[in-house]
């Protein structure tokens, strides 16, 4: 990949050619385009629903209590969380008793509106996407920390997010504060090059907060709009990851007013429910502002979206739907819920 320049024997910088020429801002992803992308991403989950509950998606069967039993099992299999599903279907049973639900179409609409309600609990402000927040923020550079357990997709997501923000006209600087893994800087370097944005990194073993400090100084000097910092999913056992993240937050706050402006927690959809416990540890340690759910394309348990919304009480901002630069889409509760049940 090249373009590394050594400074003081320690700090390496990467400035790919044409890195700061921004392209014109595209419009928001079109509603239908987004729905299509959700449908593709959630195909395996929809397949689970279809195979196990063919009649619901086609609406060809009489609505009776046995249908609800079957549906309960099927929804639990998509990882929505047993309690959430049972509570929702209890309400459906009551509606059925009252004769408020007459057919499968009505049941489907009922489930969709229940799921939408769970996904809409967070406030509008919390749901604002990075690009919108960036537009509104007066402080530069706008600082984003990307955190999460190792292997969830932080580095990949940062590449995609950098690409997305650059396409919308923002100048982006990446910061390689994952100094735990020797190959981490190279991996981020490859994504920086793909997205056409500069990167500031450091040798493996360096203090992550010091790398962030360096990146923020550089971004200020160069009047960059946004710094996105990659962090390690784990550290050498003697160093506490949460304390390290807290230190990075302190360093950011000292350097830039109100920073970090966003702390995005990356969760892996394939890990499912098991990831929630780990997520909570991050939430206890730092002020997480939003979530990114990766690998939605790789799982038949796309119902995890519901479990996350219910259990963590934070909005999902973006969803990873593949391994390419363009495979990060904004999370749309409506598109998600429709893509689950509609052919
Ligand atoms: N299918 C699919 N794969 C993804 C997605 N996001 C990330 N991956 C893959 O997941 C693997 C791990 O991604 P990384 O970005 O290296 O994860 P990380 O969190 O940075 O990992 P550490 O640096 O080890 O903590 C890679 O093989 C990625 O290509 C996604 O949305 N869909
Ligand atoms: Mg990484």
């Amino acid at each position: 990949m090249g373009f590394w320049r050594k400074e003081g024997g320690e700090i390496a910088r990467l400035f790919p050619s044409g890195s700061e020429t921004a392209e014109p801002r595209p419009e928001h992803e079109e509603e239908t385009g987004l729905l299509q992308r959700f449908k593709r991403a959630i195909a395996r989950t929809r397949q689970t629903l279809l195979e196990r509950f063919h009649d619901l998606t086609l609406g060809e069967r009489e609505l009776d209590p046995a249908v609800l039993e079957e549906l309960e099992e099927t929804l639990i299999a998509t990882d929505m969380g047993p309690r959430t599903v049972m509570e929702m279907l209890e309400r459906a049973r009551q509606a059925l008793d009252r004769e408020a639900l007459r057919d499968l179409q009505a049941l489907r609409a009922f489930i969709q509106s229940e799921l939408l309600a769970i996904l809409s609990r967070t406030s509008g402000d919390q749901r604002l996407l990075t690009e919108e927040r960036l537009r509104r923020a007066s402080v530069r550079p706008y600082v984003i920390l990307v955190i999460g357990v190792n292997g969830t997709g932080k580095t990949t997501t940062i590449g995609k997010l950098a690409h997305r923000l650059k396409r919308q006209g923002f100048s982006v600087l990446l910061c390689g504060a994952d100094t735990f893994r020797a190959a981490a800087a190279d991996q981020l370097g490859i994504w920086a090059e793909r997205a056409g944005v500069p990167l500031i990194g450091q040798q493996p073993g360096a203090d992550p907060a010091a790398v962030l400090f360096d990146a923020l100084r550089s971004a200020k000097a160069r009047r960059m709009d946004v710094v996105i910092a990659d962090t390690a999913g784990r550290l050498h056992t003697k160093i506490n990851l949460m304390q390290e993240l807290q230190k990075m937050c302190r360093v950011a706050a000292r350097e830039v007013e109100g920073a970090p402006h966003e702390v995005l927690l990356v969760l892996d959809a394939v890990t499912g429910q098991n990831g929630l416990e780990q997520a909570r540890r991050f939430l206890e340690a730092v002020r997480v502002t939003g979530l990114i759910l990766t690998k939605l394309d790789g799982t038949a348990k796309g119902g995890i979206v519901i479990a996350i919304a219910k259990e963590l009480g934070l909005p999902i901002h973006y969803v990873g739907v593949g391994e390419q630069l363009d495979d990060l889409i904004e999370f749309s509760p409506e598109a998600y819920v429709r893509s689950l049940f509609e052919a």
Side-chain angles (χ1 to χ4, degrees), residues 42-343:
I42 211 98
R44 287 192 55 202
T45 308
R46 198 169 65 235
Q47 193 65 21
T48 308
L49 280 168
L50 269 171
E51 275 169 13
R52 298 209 195 178
F53 207 76
H54 191 250
D55 309 325
L56 177 74
T57 35
L58 295 180
E60 280 174 0
R61 191 166 136 190
E62 287 294 300
L63 182 52
D64 56 38
V67 168
L68 292 178
E69 293 269 308
E70 247 176 85
L71 181 61
E72 184 166 294
E73 222 177 274
T74 308
L75 292 178
I76 289 173
T78 69
D79 228 8
M80 282 181 190
R83 214 182 57 216
T84 307
V85 172
M86 285 189 282
E87 285 170 6
M88 182 165 67
L89 290 185
E90 187 46 43
R91 282 191 289 279
R93 261 177 215 110
Q94 289 164 8
L96 190 60
D97 288 346
R98 289 197 308 273
E99 296 188 6
L101 282 182
R102 295 191 181 274
D103 55 25
L104 280 167
Q105 303 289 5
L107 175 62
R108 187 171 79 179
F110 177 87
I111 303 278
Q112 285 182 317
S113 79
E114 288 273 320
L115 295 179
L116 260 183
I118 293 174
L119 294 174
S120 308
R121 258 181 218 153
T122 48
S123 74
D125 263 11
Q126 270 182 308
R127 284 206 297 271
L128 277 185
L129 294 180
T130 301
E131 50 246 51
E132 192 49 43
R133 289 169 194 252
L134 243 167
R135 256 172 232 128
R136 296 179 183 198
S138 51
V139 183
R140 292 289 188 263
Y142 187 84
V143 183
I144 303 171
L145 288 193
V146 177
I147 66 172
V149 175
N150 61 295
T152 49
K154 294 180 294 297
T155 306
T156 307
T157 299
I158 288 168
K160 297 172 185 173
L161 186 60
H163 172 67
R164 186 177 171 106
L165 297 179
K166 191 187 164 192
R167 269 178 45 213
Q168 300 193 33
F170 300 108
S171 55
V172 184
L173 178 87
L174 298 188
C175 166
D178 175 1
T179 54
F180 173 74
R181 266 195 322 121
D186 287 348
Q187 193 195 351
L188 190 63
I190 291 167
W191 280 107
E193 201 163 8
R194 280 184 194 149
V197 300
L199 161 73
I200 292 204
Q202 223 171 76
Q203 303 296 340
D207 176 3
V211 193
L212 180 62
F213 176 83
D214 190 58
L216 295 180
R217 282 283 161 103
S218 171
K220 279 199 269 189
R222 302 167 67 202
R223 300 180 184 280
M224 306 292 284
D225 290 321
V226 52
V227 174
I228 313 177
D230 193 11
T231 64
R234 71 194 138 151
L235 293 174
H236 298 285
T237 45
K238 60 182 164 72
I239 310 171
N240 182 292
L241 174 61
M242 300 305 163
Q243 281 169 5
E244 191 59 55
L245 292 173
Q246 287 164 348
K247 185 170 154 196
M248 289 176 76
C249 290
R250 286 197 301 274
V251 165
R254 269 205 304 273
E255 279 304 301
V256 183
E257 190 194 328
H261 305 99
E262 280 183 48
V263 178
L264 297 173
L265 177 65
V266 176
L267 300 173
D268 176 341
V270 178
T271 319
Q273 298 274 335
N274 298 336
L276 291 178
E277 202 42 55
Q278 293 168 319
R280 279 193 201 94
R281 287 185 48 230
F282 283 90
L283 298 191
E284 282 161 15
V286 284
R287 191 182 55 87
V288 176
T289 56
L291 308 172
I292 298 182
L293 184 66
T294 59
K295 311 184 198 179
L296 197 60
D297 55 304
T299 182
K301 293 179 180 285
I304 188 65
V305 165
I306 301 297
I308 287 170
K310 180 107 177 170
E311 300 294 321
L312 301 184
L314 276 168
I316 298 173
H317 288 167
Y318 300 102
V319 178
V321 295
E323 296 181 275
Q324 305 302 315
L325 212 47
D326 274 320
D327 291 335
L328 186 74
I329 59 177
E330 59 185 82
F331 179 70
S332 153
E334 294 78 15
Y336 167 77
V337 168
R338 284 183 62 186
S339 67
L340 273 181
F341 297 103
E342 293 174 23

